[in-house]
Amino acid sequence: MPDESLSITDNRTGKQYELAVSDGTIRAIELRQIKASEDDFGLMAYDPSFLNTASCRSTITYIDGDKGILRYRGYPIEQLVGEHSHLEVAYLLLYGELPNEAEFRQWSDDIRKHIELPPAVLQLIRSFPPGGFPMAMLATAVASLSNFYPEGRSVLDPQVRLLQIHRLLAQVTALSAQVFRRLQGLPPTQPARGLSYAGTFLQMAFDQVPEPVVEKAMDALLILHADHEQNCSTSAMRGVGSSQCDPYLTTAAAIGALSGPLHGGANEAVIRMLEGIGSKDRVPGHVQRVKEGELRLMGFGHRIYKNYDPRAKIIKQLAHEVFEVTGSDPLLDVALELERIALQDDYFISRKLYPNVDFYSGLIYQALGFPPSMSTVLFALARTAGWLTQWEELARDREQKIARPRQIYEGPPVRDVPVRKSSPVAPS
Ligand code: ACO
């Protein structure tokens, strides 16, 4: 018998089973041996939306939702922000350690050399209507890279994977900047040399070298959004990647998942909500509507964080720092009042609903000069580092197979197709 185990009695048959417990987990596949009869397929675990299912082992990101802890490769997020750049953190995510000077120089060069986009992809972005959906533009443009780098399909080759990781990390900065410029009706720009990752993106977006305070804030936001273990878009990345699909199409799928208002799209939804509320005195009325179930308070609540989202704490502080330089935004006052009132209200307290990473991030992006519709693109730019690291970990994990959940079939039992009385009429 294993050191830790779970004894199960199947009351349908009276049979007893011992299931091994390790890391506080049983293997769902072990339930398969529990059968009501010989021809039974075996017991399944029903877990809609994966509320209690570990889909992988990972060494990348640690979250303690009750204590409000987020660590990348063991390092607390609070210590990484301000001390290290996003590109260093991307290296940390991928390799497990922060780079030394030489390693960082090599890493930066390996990425920087891929920043030029194929001209046809720039053309593609220019073909989108300026009023289009920026996340659809980004997903389409990322997916289109698959046509230009067909070697990316050799996903079993570690060297090929690393090359695509370098390329995607570089090109997502250029693509995000050019999507922004398309929204503004502006022509594409060229990258300048000698800037940081965040700085290169901002320079391409605004066609000028950014102010240090703006670059620093952008860099901090990139780090805070870089990875968050098995969230919806990362699960999409792993799920799609498990079919050995190339990283361009896989990343495009993750971008689609991120775009939804319950996930990354919440940062834009927060701005729209704050604009809709308009002023501090209208906050209580909005909160009342939320409590009556008419709406959700966007930027509040999280599947894992049931105390507070540590990223939200840092971002709130960052918002104050940015607004000191850029001048205040009246929407910040509405946001602060909304947070104050919600955190005192039993509806939110009893459901453990706190501001999440998206509550203040959209406000900062706006202060940096981006329209609300760009907020989720900036989230995707940051999260690409995490998605690619999780994809790499997936590729190295010998336990992983194609992701393929089961279902409980509730449709009709077998039946015969009715016999037609006359021959079918061809559609005109
Ligand atoms: N506003 C009002 N009520 C809420 C909110 C909210 N933002 N979030 C959850 N609740 C309530 C639900 O109505 C439910 O109440 P009930 O028990 O009376 O039915 C209870 O809290 C539990 O909610 P669930 O939907 O079961 O929580 P879940 O873990 O599935 O959802 C989610 C998490 C999607 C983040 C949710 O809190 C939400 O919709 N938040 C708003 C959107 C948002 O900010 N998303 C960004 C999340 S962070 C990220 O993805 C980067």
Side-chain angles (χ1 to χ4, degrees), residues 262-263 266 290 296-301 303 347 351 353 356:
L262 296 189
H263 191 16
V290 171
R296 283 205 162 193
L297 195 50
M298 299 315 286
F300 257 70
R303 173 63 59 77
Y347 176 95
R351 288 169 179 77
L353 300 172
N356 60 47

Side-chain angles (χ1 to χ4, degrees), residues 234-355:
T234 302
S235 298
M237 185 85 191
R238 280 181 174 262
V240 173
S242 75
S243 75
Q244 297 180 358
C245 168
D246 79 45
Y248 305 103
L249 292 168
T250 307
T251 304
I255 291 170
L258 188 72
S259 73
L262 296 189
H263 191 16
N267 51 17
E268 179 182 352
V270 170
I271 299 291
R272 306 279 180 221
M273 174 185 74
L274 296 175
E275 284 170 349
I277 298 172
S279 58
K280 273 168 74 172
D281 56 309
R282 296 183 57 193
V283 166
H286 186 84
V287 169
Q288 193 52 37
R289 288 176 66 198
V290 171
K291 286 162 64 174
E292 284 165 7
E294 212 182 302
L295 340 137
R296 283 205 162 193
L297 195 50
M298 299 315 286
F300 257 70
H302 198 275
R303 173 63 59 77
I304 307 291
Y305 293 123
K306 297 301 174 192
N307 183 333
Y308 65 86
D309 182 335
R311 302 168 298 175
K313 240 185 180 179
I314 303 172
I315 287 185
K316 186 176 173 184
Q317 178 57 33
L318 195 62
H320 284 296
E321 287 169 21
V322 169
F323 284 123
E324 249 172 53
V325 179
T326 62
S328 189
D329 179 339
L331 291 187
L332 178 64
D333 295 335
V334 179
L336 290 168
E337 181 69 353
L338 197 51
E339 181 185 356
R340 190 186 69 77
I341 292 189
L343 293 186
Q344 290 174 1
D345 194 301
D346 192 52
Y347 176 95
F348 300 93
I349 295 169
S350 63
R351 288 169 179 77
K352 303 190 173 189
L353 300 172
Y354 294 86

Side-chain angles (χ1 to χ4, degrees), residues 84-91 93 104-117 138 142 145 164-177 190-206 208-212 214-226 251 255 365 368 370 377-389:
H84 292 278
S85 70
H86 176 67
L87 209 50
E88 286 175 289
V89 169
Y91 183 101
L93 289 172
F104 185 65
R105 204 171 316 116
Q106 185 66 54
W107 172 242
S108 305
D109 290 350
D110 286 343
I111 292 169
R112 180 65 177 70
K113 67 181 175 216
H114 295 290
I115 199 152
E116 297 281 346
L117 293 171
L138 185 67
V142 169
L145 297 176
Q164 314 317 305
I165 289 174
H166 290 155
R167 184 180 284 133
L168 262 161
L169 283 171
Q171 297 202 347
V172 76
T173 55
L175 290 172
S176 304
Q190 287 301 313
R193 297 219 146 260
L195 294 172
S196 71
Y197 191 80
T200 306
F201 162 69
L202 290 166
Q203 172 267 319
M204 276 189 285
F206 296 106
Q208 62 183 42
V209 174
E211 294 292 328
V214 170
E215 185 178 347
K216 193 172 155 250
M218 185 71 217
D219 196 61
L221 286 163
L222 291 176
I223 294 172
L224 288 169
H225 287 88
T251 304
I255 291 170
Y365 290 136
L368 301 187
F370 294 103
V377 171
L378 303 178
F379 191 157
L381 167 61
R383 185 56 60 85
T384 301
W387 287 332
L388 291 169
T389 303

Side-chain angles (χ1 to χ4, degrees), residues 23-227:
D23 304 311
T25 309
I26 60 159
R27 282 183 171 261
I29 195 74
E30 296 231 329
L31 297 174
R32 201 62 95 69
Q33 62 182 296
I34 304 177
K35 297 184 176 188
S37 61
E38 266 316 299
D39 54 0
D40 182 6
F41 195 79
L43 206 63
M44 290 196 295
Y46 178 54
D47 189 15
S49 318
F50 309 120
L51 294 181
N52 194 34
T53 294
S55 62
C56 62
R57 293 177 178 276
S58 182
T59 59
I60 304 166
T61 292
Y62 174 79
I63 300 175
D64 184 326
D66 290 327
K67 297 200 183 103
I69 289 173
L70 170 59
R71 298 181 196 135
Y72 296 157
R73 299 283 189 181
Y75 292 123
I77 188 82
E78 296 80 1
Q79 291 180 26
L80 289 168
V81 173
E83 277 300 311
H84 292 278
S85 70
H86 176 67
L87 209 50
E88 286 175 289
V89 169
Y91 183 101
L92 167 71
L93 289 172
L94 188 66
Y95 291 107
E97 296 297 339
L98 284 160
N100 62 30
E101 222 172 280
E103 287 165 338
F104 185 65
R105 204 171 316 116
Q106 185 66 54
W107 172 242
S108 305
D109 290 350
D110 286 343
I111 292 169
R112 180 65 177 70
K113 67 181 175 216
H114 295 290
I115 199 152
E116 297 281 346
L117 293 171
V121 176
L122 282 175
Q123 271 306 108
L124 176 71
I125 295 173
R126 283 177 73 102
S127 75
F128 297 136
F133 182 31
M135 284 296 273
M137 294 183 189
L138 185 67
T140 310
V142 169
S144 78
L145 297 176
S146 174
N147 299 295
F148 300 94
Y149 310 114
E151 80 277 7
R153 269 170 249 152
S154 302
V155 296
L156 299 183
D157 182 332
Q159 288 311 315
V160 170
R161 289 200 304 272
L162 184 59
L163 176 63
Q164 314 317 305
I165 289 174
H166 290 155
R167 184 180 284 133
L168 262 161
L169 283 171
Q171 297 202 347
V172 76
T173 55
L175 290 172
S176 304
Q178 305 313 341
V179 164
F180 166 69
R181 293 187 68 78
R182 184 62 196 144
L183 294 179
Q184 306 290 304
L186 297 168
T189 42
Q190 287 301 313
R193 297 219 146 260
L195 294 172
S196 71
Y197 191 80
T200 306
F201 162 69
L202 290 166
Q203 172 267 319
M204 276 189 285
F206 296 106
D207 204 12
Q208 62 183 42
V209 174
E211 294 292 328
V213 65
V214 170
E215 185 178 347
K216 193 172 155 250
M218 185 71 217
D219 196 61
L221 286 163
L222 291 176
I223 294 172
L224 288 169
H225 287 88
D227 194 55

